[in-house]
Amino acid sequence: MTKVYPAIIHEENGSYWVEFPDLEGCSTYGETLEETLDLASEALGLYLVSLSEDGIPLPEASDLSSIICKDGHAIYITTDINKYRRDTKAVKKMLSIPAWLAKEAEARNLSLSKVLQEALQERLHMT
């Protein structure tokens, strides 16, 4: 599930740091701009997954135009929070489908597990 939040990127002494105004305590830094942006996406993903796994609703993202910067630049950072989920081990589930549908899927070399995962993610709006 892709999420987008505004961030403020700062430059200090040749390196960079990023803070997320909507997410208290979520920040990161790096030596180069590219490294900092990658780390910002990771920090955002880990922060949001932590909230989600703790049952805390994700805060609404502010509009970029509402962010006031004194000594930095407001930008959007994106992340795929599913990439940072911790409990990713596979679990077996028993399911039933019509025989004709199972035969058709097998004839087309479809993985029922993969199809079910994709369908659940779509239904849960997690794609």
PDB file of all heavy atoms in Angstrom, residues 36-71:
ATOM      1  N   THR A  36      19.602  10.192   1.525  1.00  0.00           N
ATOM      2  CA  THR A  36      18.630  10.753   2.463  1.00  0.00           C
ATOM      3  C   THR A  36      17.202  10.491   1.998  1.00  0.00           C
ATOM      4  O   THR A  36      16.338  10.139   2.807  1.00  0.00           O
ATOM      5  CB  THR A  36      18.871  12.260   2.643  1.00  0.00           C
ATOM      6  OG1 THR A  36      20.236  12.458   3.026  1.00  0.00           O
ATOM      7  CG2 THR A  36      17.958  12.848   3.701  1.00  0.00           C
ATOM      8  N   LEU A  37      16.955  10.634   0.705  1.00  0.00           N
ATOM      9  CA  LEU A  37      15.610  10.378   0.189  1.00  0.00           C
ATOM     10  C   LEU A  37      15.237   8.899   0.307  1.00  0.00           C
ATOM     11  O   LEU A  37      14.102   8.561   0.651  1.00  0.00           O
ATOM     12  CB  LEU A  37      15.487  10.866  -1.248  1.00  0.00           C
ATOM     13  CG  LEU A  37      15.575  12.385  -1.423  1.00  0.00           C
ATOM     14  CD1 LEU A  37      15.559  12.759  -2.898  1.00  0.00           C
ATOM     15  CD2 LEU A  37      14.465  13.097  -0.662  1.00  0.00           C
ATOM     16  N   ASP A  38      16.183   8.000   0.046  1.00  0.00           N
ATOM     17  CA  ASP A  38      15.930   6.568   0.234  1.00  0.00           C
ATOM     18  C   ASP A  38      15.634   6.257   1.701  1.00  0.00           C
ATOM     19  O   ASP A  38      14.700   5.513   2.015  1.00  0.00           O
ATOM     20  CB  ASP A  38      17.134   5.735  -0.221  1.00  0.00           C
ATOM     21  CG  ASP A  38      17.250   5.618  -1.727  1.00  0.00           C
ATOM     22  OD1 ASP A  38      16.256   5.910  -2.433  1.00  0.00           O
ATOM     23  OD2 ASP A  38      18.342   5.232  -2.198  1.00  0.00           O
ATOM     24  N   LEU A  39      16.439   6.829   2.587  1.00  0.00           N
ATOM     25  CA  LEU A  39      16.239   6.597   4.018  1.00  0.00           C
ATOM     26  C   LEU A  39      14.933   7.220   4.510  1.00  0.00           C
ATOM     27  O   LEU A  39      14.281   6.686   5.415  1.00  0.00           O
ATOM     28  CB  LEU A  39      17.431   7.134   4.814  1.00  0.00           C
ATOM     29  CG  LEU A  39      18.737   6.372   4.609  1.00  0.00           C
ATOM     30  CD1 LEU A  39      19.907   7.113   5.267  1.00  0.00           C
ATOM     31  CD2 LEU A  39      18.631   4.952   5.147  1.00  0.00           C
ATOM     32  N   ALA A  40      14.519   8.323   3.914  1.00  0.00           N
ATOM     33  CA  ALA A  40      13.254   8.960   4.288  1.00  0.00           C
ATOM     34  C   ALA A  40      12.081   8.056   3.931  1.00  0.00           C
ATOM     35  O   ALA A  40      11.132   7.908   4.713  1.00  0.00           O
ATOM     36  CB  ALA A  40      13.116  10.316   3.610  1.00  0.00           C
ATOM     37  N   SER A  41      12.137   7.431   2.764  1.00  0.00           N
ATOM     38  CA  SER A  41      11.085   6.497   2.366  1.00  0.00           C
ATOM     39  C   SER A  41      11.029   5.309   3.317  1.00  0.00           C
ATOM     40  O   SER A  41       9.950   4.868   3.726  1.00  0.00           O
ATOM     41  CB  SER A  41      11.328   6.026   0.929  1.00  0.00           C
ATOM     42  OG  SER A  41      10.326   5.137   0.530  1.00  0.00           O
ATOM     43  N   GLU A  42      12.191   4.810   3.703  1.00  0.00           N
ATOM     44  CA  GLU A  42      12.261   3.694   4.642  1.00  0.00           C
ATOM     45  C   GLU A  42      11.741   4.104   6.021  1.00  0.00           C
ATOM     46  O   GLU A  42      10.953   3.379   6.639  1.00  0.00           O
ATOM     47  CB  GLU A  42      13.699   3.189   4.755  1.00  0.00           C
ATOM     48  CG  GLU A  42      13.863   2.051   5.731  1.00  0.00           C
ATOM     49  CD  GLU A  42      15.300   1.572   5.839  1.00  0.00           C
ATOM     50  OE1 GLU A  42      16.237   2.379   5.675  1.00  0.00           O
ATOM     51  OE2 GLU A  42      15.476   0.366   6.075  1.00  0.00           O
ATOM     52  N   ALA A  43      12.168   5.256   6.519  1.00  0.00           N
ATOM     53  CA  ALA A  43      11.713   5.726   7.833  1.00  0.00           C
ATOM     54  C   ALA A  43      10.202   5.907   7.841  1.00  0.00           C
ATOM     55  O   ALA A  43       9.522   5.521   8.799  1.00  0.00           O
ATOM     56  CB  ALA A  43      12.415   7.042   8.193  1.00  0.00           C
ATOM     57  N   LEU A  44       9.665   6.468   6.775  1.00  0.00           N
ATOM     58  CA  LEU A  44       8.225   6.659   6.661  1.00  0.00           C
ATOM     59  C   LEU A  44       7.507   5.310   6.679  1.00  0.00           C
ATOM     60  O   LEU A  44       6.529   5.122   7.407  1.00  0.00           O
ATOM     61  CB  LEU A  44       7.895   7.429   5.381  1.00  0.00           C
ATOM     62  CG  LEU A  44       6.419   7.653   5.068  1.00  0.00           C
ATOM     63  CD1 LEU A  44       5.739   8.455   6.171  1.00  0.00           C
ATOM     64  CD2 LEU A  44       6.277   8.371   3.719  1.00  0.00           C
ATOM     65  N   GLY A  45       8.001   4.360   5.897  1.00  0.00           N
ATOM     66  CA  GLY A  45       7.380   3.039   5.856  1.00  0.00           C
ATOM     67  C   GLY A  45       7.398   2.339   7.201  1.00  0.00           C
ATOM     68  O   GLY A  45       6.387   1.788   7.648  1.00  0.00           O
ATOM     69  N   LEU A  46       8.534   2.356   7.869  1.00  0.00           N
ATOM     70  CA  LEU A  46       8.653   1.705   9.172  1.00  0.00           C
ATOM     71  C   LEU A  46       7.761   2.378  10.213  1.00  0.00           C
ATOM     72  O   LEU A  46       7.121   1.703  11.028  1.00  0.00           O
ATOM     73  CB  LEU A  46      10.110   1.712   9.633  1.00  0.00           C
ATOM     74  CG  LEU A  46      11.043   0.791   8.848  1.00  0.00           C
ATOM     75  CD1 LEU A  46      12.502   1.083   9.192  1.00  0.00           C
ATOM     76  CD2 LEU A  46      10.701  -0.674   9.114  1.00  0.00           C
ATOM     77  N   TYR A  47       7.690   3.693  10.186  1.00  0.00           N
ATOM     78  CA  TYR A  47       6.862   4.440  11.133  1.00  0.00           C
ATOM     79  C   TYR A  47       5.385   4.096  10.939  1.00  0.00           C
ATOM     80  O   TYR A  47       4.672   3.788  11.897  1.00  0.00           O
ATOM     81  CB  TYR A  47       7.099   5.936  10.935  1.00  0.00           C
ATOM     82  CG  TYR A  47       6.493   6.820  11.988  1.00  0.00           C
ATOM     83  CD1 TYR A  47       7.247   7.281  13.060  1.00  0.00           C
ATOM     84  CD2 TYR A  47       5.160   7.225  11.914  1.00  0.00           C
ATOM     85  CE1 TYR A  47       6.700   8.110  14.028  1.00  0.00           C
ATOM     86  CE2 TYR A  47       4.599   8.045  12.873  1.00  0.00           C
ATOM     87  CZ  TYR A  47       5.377   8.493  13.934  1.00  0.00           C
ATOM     88  OH  TYR A  47       4.824   9.312  14.890  1.00  0.00           O
ATOM     89  N   LEU A  48       4.932   4.124   9.677  1.00  0.00           N
ATOM     90  CA  LEU A  48       3.523   3.857   9.395  1.00  0.00           C
ATOM     91  C   LEU A  48       3.144   2.411   9.692  1.00  0.00           C
ATOM     92  O   LEU A  48       2.063   2.138  10.225  1.00  0.00           O
ATOM     93  CB  LEU A  48       3.191   4.218   7.950  1.00  0.00           C
ATOM     94  CG  LEU A  48       3.319   5.702   7.589  1.00  0.00           C
ATOM     95  CD1 LEU A  48       3.046   5.918   6.105  1.00  0.00           C
ATOM     96  CD2 LEU A  48       2.399   6.559   8.441  1.00  0.00           C
ATOM     97  N   VAL A  49       4.020   1.459   9.376  1.00  0.00           N
ATOM     98  CA  VAL A  49       3.751   0.059   9.696  1.00  0.00           C
ATOM     99  C   VAL A  49       3.660  -0.132  11.199  1.00  0.00           C
ATOM    100  O   VAL A  49       2.798  -0.862  11.691  1.00  0.00           O
ATOM    101  CB  VAL A  49       4.822  -0.872   9.082  1.00  0.00           C
ATOM    102  CG1 VAL A  49       4.867  -2.213   9.774  1.00  0.00           C
ATOM    103  CG2 VAL A  49       4.544  -1.076   7.620  1.00  0.00           C
ATOM    104  N   SER A  50       4.522   0.528  11.934  1.00  0.00           N
ATOM    105  CA  SER A  50       4.492   0.422  13.388  1.00  0.00           C
ATOM    106  C   SER A  50       3.145   0.897  13.935  1.00  0.00           C
ATOM    107  O   SER A  50       2.536   0.242  14.789  1.00  0.00           O
ATOM    108  CB  SER A  50       5.635   1.235  13.997  1.00  0.00           C
ATOM    109  OG  SER A  50       5.615   1.137  15.397  1.00  0.00           O
ATOM    110  N   LEU A  51       2.662   2.042  13.428  1.00  0.00           N
ATOM    111  CA  LEU A  51       1.353   2.528  13.853  1.00  0.00           C
ATOM    112  C   LEU A  51       0.269   1.514  13.501  1.00  0.00           C
ATOM    113  O   LEU A  51      -0.572   1.164  14.335  1.00  0.00           O
ATOM    114  CB  LEU A  51       1.030   3.867  13.188  1.00  0.00           C
ATOM    115  CG  LEU A  51       1.858   5.086  13.580  1.00  0.00           C
ATOM    116  CD1 LEU A  51       1.409   6.306  12.775  1.00  0.00           C
ATOM    117  CD2 LEU A  51       1.758   5.361  15.069  1.00  0.00           C
ATOM    118  N   SER A  52       0.287   1.039  12.266  1.00  0.00           N
ATOM    119  CA  SER A  52      -0.723   0.104  11.775  1.00  0.00           C
ATOM    120  C   SER A  52      -0.739  -1.182  12.596  1.00  0.00           C
ATOM    121  O   SER A  52      -1.793  -1.656  13.006  1.00  0.00           O
ATOM    122  CB  SER A  52      -0.459  -0.203  10.304  1.00  0.00           C
ATOM    123  OG  SER A  52      -1.358  -1.159   9.820  1.00  0.00           O
ATOM    124  N   GLU A  53       0.433  -1.743  12.850  1.00  0.00           N
ATOM    125  CA  GLU A  53       0.516  -2.993  13.606  1.00  0.00           C
ATOM    126  C   GLU A  53       0.127  -2.810  15.070  1.00  0.00           C
ATOM    127  O   GLU A  53      -0.271  -3.770  15.726  1.00  0.00           O
ATOM    128  CB  GLU A  53       1.905  -3.596  13.469  1.00  0.00           C
ATOM    129  CG  GLU A  53       2.162  -4.128  12.065  1.00  0.00           C
ATOM    130  CD  GLU A  53       3.540  -4.702  11.849  1.00  0.00           C
ATOM    131  OE1 GLU A  53       4.418  -4.568  12.737  1.00  0.00           O
ATOM    132  OE2 GLU A  53       3.755  -5.294  10.774  1.00  0.00           O
ATOM    133  N   ASP A  54       0.214  -1.583  15.574  1.00  0.00           N
ATOM    134  CA  ASP A  54      -0.218  -1.283  16.941  1.00  0.00           C
ATOM    135  C   ASP A  54      -1.692  -0.890  17.000  1.00  0.00           C
ATOM    136  O   ASP A  54      -2.198  -0.521  18.059  1.00  0.00           O
ATOM    137  CB  ASP A  54       0.638  -0.165  17.549  1.00  0.00           C
ATOM    138  CG  ASP A  54       2.054  -0.623  17.854  1.00  0.00           C
ATOM    139  OD1 ASP A  54       2.295  -1.846  17.908  1.00  0.00           O
ATOM    140  OD2 ASP A  54       2.931   0.246  18.049  1.00  0.00           O
ATOM    141  N   GLY A  55      -2.378  -0.936  15.848  1.00  0.00           N
ATOM    142  CA  GLY A  55      -3.795  -0.609  15.807  1.00  0.00           C
ATOM    143  C   GLY A  55      -4.091   0.876  15.868  1.00  0.00           C
ATOM    144  O   GLY A  55      -5.223   1.276  16.144  1.00  0.00           O
ATOM    145  N   ILE A  56      -3.106   1.701  15.602  1.00  0.00           N
ATOM    146  CA  ILE A  56      -3.277   3.159  15.636  1.00  0.00           C
ATOM    147  C   ILE A  56      -3.588   3.638  14.219  1.00  0.00           C
ATOM    148  O   ILE A  56      -2.842   3.327  13.284  1.00  0.00           O
ATOM    149  CB  ILE A  56      -2.001   3.849  16.165  1.00  0.00           C
ATOM    150  CG1 ILE A  56      -1.693   3.360  17.580  1.00  0.00           C
ATOM    151  CG2 ILE A  56      -2.141   5.366  16.119  1.00  0.00           C
ATOM    152  CD1 ILE A  56      -0.333   3.767  18.105  1.00  0.00           C
ATOM    153  N   PRO A  57      -4.684   4.374  14.051  1.00  0.00           N
ATOM    154  CA  PRO A  57      -5.008   4.864  12.703  1.00  0.00           C
ATOM    155  C   PRO A  57      -3.901   5.764  12.165  1.00  0.00           C
ATOM    156  O   PRO A  57      -3.293   6.540  12.909  1.00  0.00           O
ATOM    157  CB  PRO A  57      -6.292   5.675  12.911  1.00  0.00           C
ATOM    158  CG  PRO A  57      -6.814   5.272  14.245  1.00  0.00           C
ATOM    159  CD  PRO A  57      -5.647   4.793  15.052  1.00  0.00           C
ATOM    160  N   LEU A  58      -3.654   5.660  10.866  1.00  0.00           N
ATOM    161  CA  LEU A  58      -2.628   6.500  10.245  1.00  0.00           C
ATOM    162  C   LEU A  58      -3.144   7.927  10.159  1.00  0.00           C
ATOM    163  O   LEU A  58      -4.286   8.163   9.756  1.00  0.00           O
ATOM    164  CB  LEU A  58      -2.288   5.988   8.842  1.00  0.00           C
ATOM    165  CG  LEU A  58      -1.770   4.550   8.755  1.00  0.00           C
ATOM    166  CD1 LEU A  58      -1.414   4.211   7.316  1.00  0.00           C
ATOM    167  CD2 LEU A  58      -0.602   4.322   9.674  1.00  0.00           C
ATOM    168  N   PRO A  59      -2.307   8.901  10.537  1.00  0.00           N
ATOM    169  CA  PRO A  59      -2.722  10.302  10.454  1.00  0.00           C
ATOM    170  C   PRO A  59      -2.954  10.720   9.000  1.00  0.00           C
ATOM    171  O   PRO A  59      -2.324  10.186   8.087  1.00  0.00           O
ATOM    172  CB  PRO A  59      -1.547  11.085  11.037  1.00  0.00           C
ATOM    173  CG  PRO A  59      -0.596  10.093  11.587  1.00  0.00           C
ATOM    174  CD  PRO A  59      -0.952   8.755  11.045  1.00  0.00           C
ATOM    175  N   GLU A  60      -3.857  11.662   8.828  1.00  0.00           N
ATOM    176  CA  GLU A  60      -4.060  12.240   7.495  1.00  0.00           C
ATOM    177  C   GLU A  60      -2.805  13.020   7.114  1.00  0.00           C
ATOM    178  O   GLU A  60      -2.212  13.704   7.950  1.00  0.00           O
ATOM    179  CB  GLU A  60      -5.255  13.185   7.502  1.00  0.00           C
ATOM    180  CG  GLU A  60      -6.589  12.480   7.608  1.00  0.00           C
ATOM    181  CD  GLU A  60      -6.920  11.665   6.385  1.00  0.00           C
ATOM    182  OE1 GLU A  60      -6.661  12.138   5.252  1.00  0.00           O
ATOM    183  OE2 GLU A  60      -7.431  10.541   6.556  1.00  0.00           O
ATOM    184  N   ALA A  61      -2.425  12.913   5.868  1.00  0.00           N
ATOM    185  CA  ALA A  61      -1.272  13.661   5.374  1.00  0.00           C
ATOM    186  C   ALA A  61      -1.701  15.091   5.068  1.00  0.00           C
ATOM    187  O   ALA A  61      -2.731  15.314   4.440  1.00  0.00           O
ATOM    188  CB  ALA A  61      -0.710  13.003   4.124  1.00  0.00           C
ATOM    189  N   SER A  62      -0.918  16.036   5.528  1.00  0.00           N
ATOM    190  CA  SER A  62      -1.183  17.445   5.238  1.00  0.00           C
ATOM    191  C   SER A  62      -0.924  17.739   3.770  1.00  0.00           C
ATOM    192  O   SER A  62      -0.141  17.049   3.118  1.00  0.00           O
ATOM    193  CB  SER A  62      -0.281  18.347   6.081  1.00  0.00           C
ATOM    194  OG  SER A  62      -0.538  18.175   7.443  1.00  0.00           O
ATOM    195  N   ASP A  63      -1.556  18.776   3.285  1.00  0.00           N
ATOM    196  CA  ASP A  63      -1.275  19.252   1.938  1.00  0.00           C
ATOM    197  C   ASP A  63       0.081  19.944   1.960  1.00  0.00           C
ATOM    198  O   ASP A  63       0.395  20.684   2.905  1.00  0.00           O
ATOM    199  CB  ASP A  63      -2.365  20.223   1.485  1.00  0.00           C
ATOM    200  CG  ASP A  63      -2.186  20.619   0.046  1.00  0.00           C
ATOM    201  OD1 ASP A  63      -2.651  19.885  -0.835  1.00  0.00           O
ATOM    202  OD2 ASP A  63      -1.556  21.679  -0.190  1.00  0.00           O
ATOM    203  N   LEU A  64       0.875  19.713   0.944  1.00  0.00           N
ATOM    204  CA  LEU A  64       2.223  20.280   0.888  1.00  0.00           C
ATOM    205  C   LEU A  64       2.198  21.804   1.009  1.00  0.00           C
ATOM    206  O   LEU A  64       3.079  22.397   1.635  1.00  0.00           O
ATOM    207  CB  LEU A  64       2.914  19.859  -0.407  1.00  0.00           C
ATOM    208  CG  LEU A  64       4.411  20.091  -0.493  1.00  0.00           C
ATOM    209  CD1 LEU A  64       5.148  19.264   0.541  1.00  0.00           C
ATOM    210  CD2 LEU A  64       4.923  19.740  -1.883  1.00  0.00           C
ATOM    211  N   SER A  65       1.171  22.433   0.443  1.00  0.00           N
ATOM    212  CA  SER A  65       1.099  23.900   0.473  1.00  0.00           C
ATOM    213  C   SER A  65       0.874  24.448   1.877  1.00  0.00           C
ATOM    214  O   SER A  65       1.104  25.629   2.128  1.00  0.00           O
ATOM    215  CB  SER A  65      -0.001  24.405  -0.463  1.00  0.00           C
ATOM    216  OG  SER A  65      -1.259  23.947  -0.027  1.00  0.00           O
ATOM    217  N   SER A  66       0.454  23.595   2.809  1.00  0.00           N
ATOM    218  CA  SER A  66       0.221  24.065   4.180  1.00  0.00           C
ATOM    219  C   SER A  66       1.467  23.961   5.063  1.00  0.00           C
ATOM    220  O   SER A  66       1.466  24.406   6.202  1.00  0.00           O
ATOM    221  CB  SER A  66      -0.922  23.276   4.824  1.00  0.00           C
ATOM    222  OG  SER A  66      -0.521  21.935   5.084  1.00  0.00           O
ATOM    223  N   ILE A  67       2.536  23.369   4.529  1.00  0.00           N
ATOM    224  CA  ILE A  67       3.774  23.178   5.297  1.00  0.00           C
ATOM    225  C   ILE A  67       4.612  24.454   5.241  1.00  0.00           C
ATOM    226  O   ILE A  67       4.934  24.946   4.169  1.00  0.00           O
ATOM    227  CB  ILE A  67       4.588  21.984   4.751  1.00  0.00           C
ATOM    228  CG1 ILE A  67       3.745  20.717   4.722  1.00  0.00           C
ATOM    229  CG2 ILE A  67       5.871  21.788   5.534  1.00  0.00           C
ATOM    230  CD1 ILE A  67       3.262  20.246   6.063  1.00  0.00           C
ATOM    231  N   ILE A  68       4.954  24.962   6.412  1.00  0.00           N
ATOM    232  CA  ILE A  68       5.777  26.170   6.500  1.00  0.00           C
ATOM    233  C   ILE A  68       7.205  25.746   6.824  1.00  0.00           C
ATOM    234  O   ILE A  68       7.456  25.053   7.805  1.00  0.00           O
ATOM    235  CB  ILE A  68       5.238  27.122   7.582  1.00  0.00           C
ATOM    236  CG1 ILE A  68       3.822  27.550   7.210  1.00  0.00           C
ATOM    237  CG2 ILE A  68       6.166  28.323   7.758  1.00  0.00           C
ATOM    238  CD1 ILE A  68       3.098  28.310   8.299  1.00  0.00           C
ATOM    239  N   CYS A  69       8.137  26.179   5.990  1.00  0.00           N
ATOM    240  CA  CYS A  69       9.551  25.831   6.162  1.00  0.00           C
ATOM    241  C   CYS A  69      10.349  27.090   6.487  1.00  0.00           C
ATOM    242  O   CYS A  69      10.337  28.038   5.712  1.00  0.00           O
ATOM    243  CB  CYS A  69      10.121  25.224   4.881  1.00  0.00           C
ATOM    244  SG  CYS A  69       9.248  23.805   4.289  1.00  0.00           S
ATOM    245  N   LYS A  70      11.060  27.051   7.597  1.00  0.00           N
ATOM    246  CA  LYS A  70      11.936  28.169   7.937  1.00  0.00           C
ATOM    247  C   LYS A  70      13.322  27.978   7.334  1.00  0.00           C
ATOM    248  O   LYS A  70      13.933  28.911   6.867  1.00  0.00           O
ATOM    249  CB  LYS A  70      12.054  28.303   9.454  1.00  0.00           C
ATOM    250  CG  LYS A  70      10.757  28.689  10.118  1.00  0.00           C
ATOM    251  CD  LYS A  70      10.923  28.783  11.607  1.00  0.00           C
ATOM    252  CE  LYS A  70       9.584  29.072  12.268  1.00  0.00           C
ATOM    253  NZ  LYS A  70       9.670  29.044  13.713  1.00  0.00           N
ATOM    254  N   ASP A  71      13.795  26.740   7.369  1.00  0.00           N
ATOM    255  CA  ASP A  71      15.165  26.496   6.891  1.00  0.00           C
ATOM    256  C   ASP A  71      15.270  25.191   6.105  1.00  0.00           C
ATOM    257  O   ASP A  71      16.199  24.444   6.247  1.00  0.00           O
ATOM    258  CB  ASP A  71      16.128  26.472   8.069  1.00  0.00           C
ATOM    259  CG  ASP A  71      15.840  25.339   9.043  1.00  0.00           C
ATOM    260  OD1 ASP A  71      14.752  24.749   8.972  1.00  0.00           O
ATOM    261  OD2 ASP A  71      16.717  25.039   9.868  1.00  0.00           O
TER     262      ASP A  71
END
